[in-house]
Amino acid sequence: MDNYQIADTFSLLSKLMDIHGENSFKAKSYASAAFAIEKLPQQLSDTPKEKISSIKGIGASTAQKIIEMLENGRLKALDEIIIMTPPGIVEMLNIKGIGPKKINTIWKEMEIESIGELLYACQENRLKLYKGFGEKTQQNVIDVIEFYQKSKGSHLYAQVEMIVGQLDQILSELFPNNQVLLTGSFIRQLETINEIEFLIDNSRESIEQTMLSLEGFVLDARGEDHLIFGSSTGVKLKIYWATKDTFWKRFVQTSSPQSFLEHFNLTDTEKLYRTEQEVFEASNIPYIPAALRDLPGIIERFREDPGLEIIQVEDIRGIIHCHSNWSDGSNTIEELAQAAMAKGLEYLVISDHSKSAFYANGLQPDRILAQHDYIDALNAKLQPFQIFKSIEADILNDGSLDYPDDILRSFDMVIASVHSNLKMTEDKAMARILKAIENPYTTILGHMTGRLLLSREGYPVDHRKIIDACASNNVVIELNAHPNRLDIDWRHISYALEKNVMISIDPDSHFTDGLDDIKYGVLVAQKALVQPKHNLSSLALNAFREYISKRKNAIN
Ligand SMILES: [Zn+2]
Ligand SMILES: [Zn+2]
């Protein structure tokens, strides 16, 4: 071990001790030892052991630890503290701008254990509510985390969207005489993307040469039929090559999962296809857009019903699930309503956080009354646009909602969500959620698993049982459209539709721009063949009003 490694070890030990709130005097002495060791003119490994403790800045106990490291190549005290620390917490030390003390608050008080969760909390405005975290820290944390995540390989669909557009333009300009087509996971509308894929009818040599003449791209790998480039955006670019003759066949191959391609006969290498449709026709398969090809049984569905009307963004008629500045949102209810009106929407369901969500300034009963008066006044002013009164009620540990019935009754509808104690066994999670579904006031089950894509696994649930319970209790399942959540996972939606359970595509937005997130919900809903009639937020105002009043009347 050289001095730098020894110094790094002490520095990490000292930070982890601070994170755990351990003896700060000791932690400080390790930090100053790290500082001193880095500046030493001689290597500790060349220093006689008995002389180490007399070096300035190094005491007897530190010297002992240095000797341990030199002899064993590791430090037991560090190993022990690392075992006690969630990996996400250790990883947070990579974020410039938040030191060990802040990480301690993030971990112990906010119950956040990963960088992704931390980013989400910042986006929800939650960080600045804690002592020592201002608006500036919050923004800084967002910037640093976004950069950090970008460099780690996988990305949210929404994060690469803009880069895709720019690359499309760059490639079309670079290869003006070729066919350049976006393909792969992005056009399949998958919720996370590892690489942006294009198909070009050009030779490997020409593509490679042209790309490398461009600043900002480096060749990462040469595959049998593709090249992978690293780029300054942090997202990998994969380019498949094809000839003019093989182009459309290659397009279908690169834009479809294997399970889908198995239905095709593409072995005839001589056969020419002039369009994508011709590739389908030749195998006697109805044309199916790339985004829908992941769904099992999709070909049979299209054979039975070729005119299937799949949901589009324009089919969303109102905003359901939205936070205002009454809890942790940034905008007033009126600003949110105006933004929704500007999009041509007919209604807005305000669902601020409930009282248990203290970190989000959840509403105490007196503030609910005040909010309802305010909404009444706004409705008089903004009609025919309508604001509905709702709440995102916390599902408590025992599955109950955090208000008594007489308060729950005062809402037009209730979204029930889990926000605390997310680490549960499946049994515990199921008992908790099923009880909430059985609560007669629950209209919608919010973000079913609590997952945050690329950063937090959801708690384990039995999707079928939950869907069955929603079917028996007439509860709608949210498809939370926040690009981090997309929860319920679209892969489970078919079963919900089979059971006649409605889906609600909801933005869960905390500011006006967040209303646009409904798009990401629609994109994954399409993958599950959701039609407008399956989606609660696609009901026109009158139908929606009727739906919730019927639903309310059924309670007693
Ligand atoms: Zn929520
Ligand atoms: Zn919410």
Side-chain angles (χ1 to χ4, degrees), residues 324-393:
S324 75
N325 63 352
W326 283 72
S327 65
D328 60 349
S330 300
N331 293 94
T332 64
I333 297 177
E334 183 164 13
E335 284 165 346
L336 291 162
Q338 296 285 4
M341 287 164 82
K343 292 179 198 307
L345 299 170
E346 299 174 74
Y347 55 94
L348 172 74
V349 177
I350 285 291
S351 50
D352 276 310
H353 283 288
S354 60
K355 68 174 183 191
S356 308
F358 59 90
Y359 56 82
N361 195 20
L363 300 184
Q364 293 295 336
D366 57 322
R367 296 183 62 229
I368 291 171
L369 289 176
Q371 189 186 64
H372 288 182
D373 287 344
Y374 173 60
I375 290 176
D376 287 340
L378 274 178
N379 273 332
K381 181 173 158 189
L382 302 177
Q383 61 170 319
F385 186 86
Q386 191 169 348
I387 303 163
F388 291 93
K389 299 160 189 164
S390 179
I391 194 86
E392 184 176 18

Side-chain angles (χ1 to χ4, degrees), residues 321 353 392 417 419 447 485 508:
H321 195 165
H353 283 288
E392 184 176 18
S417 308
H419 289 121
H447 45 72
R485 291 192 183 268
D508 194 0

Side-chain angles (χ1 to χ4, degrees), residues 125-396:
N125 258 339
R126 260 203 284 158
L127 221 61
K128 66 170 195 194
L129 302 172
Y130 287 84
K131 208 174 150 233
F133 294 83
E135 186 105 36
K136 230 174 123 191
T137 315
Q138 184 170 277
Q139 189 52 48
N140 174 52
V141 173
I142 292 178
D143 294 344
V144 179
I145 295 180
E146 282 184 343
F147 181 80
Y148 180 77
Q149 285 189 330
K150 245 207 265 176
S151 53
K152 267 187 31 173
S154 203
H155 313 269
L156 297 177
Y157 179 96
Q159 284 174 328
V160 304
E161 206 178 9
M162 205 154 55
I163 303 170
V164 166
Q166 290 162 352
L167 278 175
D168 201 3
Q169 200 182 347
I170 292 173
L171 292 176
S172 303
E173 281 165 15
L174 278 176
F175 301 98
N177 302 316
N178 295 100
Q179 180 109 247
V180 174
L181 218 49
L182 183 58
T183 185
S185 51
F186 189 81
I187 63 168
R188 278 161 63 193
Q189 294 167 201
L190 286 164
E191 54 275 60
T192 58
I193 308 282
N194 294 326
E195 48 208 8
I196 300 172
E197 297 161 77
F198 282 91
L199 174 67
I200 304 179
D201 60 347
N202 202 334
S203 68
R204 177 185 72 75
E205 294 77 13
S206 163
I207 294 172
E208 184 173 332
Q209 235 174 36
T210 312
M211 290 308 295
L212 292 181
S213 68
L214 215 65
E215 210 175 305
F217 291 92
V218 289
L219 184 65
D220 263 14
R222 274 193 199 100
E224 236 170 67
D225 58 357
H226 64 265
L227 295 165
I228 297 179
F229 298 93
S231 77
S232 50
T233 61
V235 188
K236 292 210 184 303
L237 167 66
K238 186 174 193 174
I239 303 182
Y240 300 94
W241 61 82
T243 63
K244 292 217 179 321
D245 293 345
T246 59
F247 188 83
W248 288 110
K249 182 167 116 178
R250 293 294 295 134
F251 182 62
V252 173
Q253 285 172 325
T254 55
S255 59
S256 311
Q258 199 47 44
S259 56
F260 185 77
L261 289 175
E262 276 163 12
H263 300 269
F264 284 76
N265 180 6
L266 298 171
T267 46
D268 183 357
T269 47
E270 299 291 296
K271 188 150 177 53
L272 280 183
Y273 305 97
R274 279 158 305 164
T275 62
E276 189 186 9
Q277 278 75 5
E278 276 187 13
V279 184
F280 280 75
E281 275 160 27
S283 288
N284 204 15
I285 293 170
Y287 176 71
I288 297 168
L292 312 186
R293 296 176 195 163
D294 286 282
L295 193 71
I298 185 72
I299 296 174
E300 291 70 33
R301 283 295 306 274
F302 262 68
R303 280 201 177 115
E304 283 161 23
D305 190 356
L308 220 59
E309 191 205 347
I310 295 160
I311 193 159
Q312 306 294 325
V313 176
E314 304 78 63
D315 293 317
I316 304 292
R317 308 295 289 273
I319 294 292
I320 301 178
H321 195 165
C322 181
H323 299 268
S324 75
N325 63 352
W326 283 72
S327 65
D328 60 349
S330 300
N331 293 94
T332 64
I333 297 177
E334 183 164 13
E335 284 165 346
L336 291 162
Q338 296 285 4
M341 287 164 82
K343 292 179 198 307
L345 299 170
E346 299 174 74
Y347 55 94
L348 172 74
V349 177
I350 285 291
S351 50
D352 276 310
H353 283 288
S354 60
K355 68 174 183 191
S356 308
F358 59 90
Y359 56 82
N361 195 20
L363 300 184
Q364 293 295 336
D366 57 322
R367 296 183 62 229
I368 291 171
L369 289 176
Q371 189 186 64
H372 288 182
D373 287 344
Y374 173 60
I375 290 176
D376 287 340
L378 274 178
N379 273 332
K381 181 173 158 189
L382 302 177
Q383 61 170 319
F385 186 86
Q386 191 169 348
I387 303 163
F388 291 93
K389 299 160 189 164
S390 179
I391 194 86
E392 184 176 18
D394 264 35
I395 301 175
L396 300 177

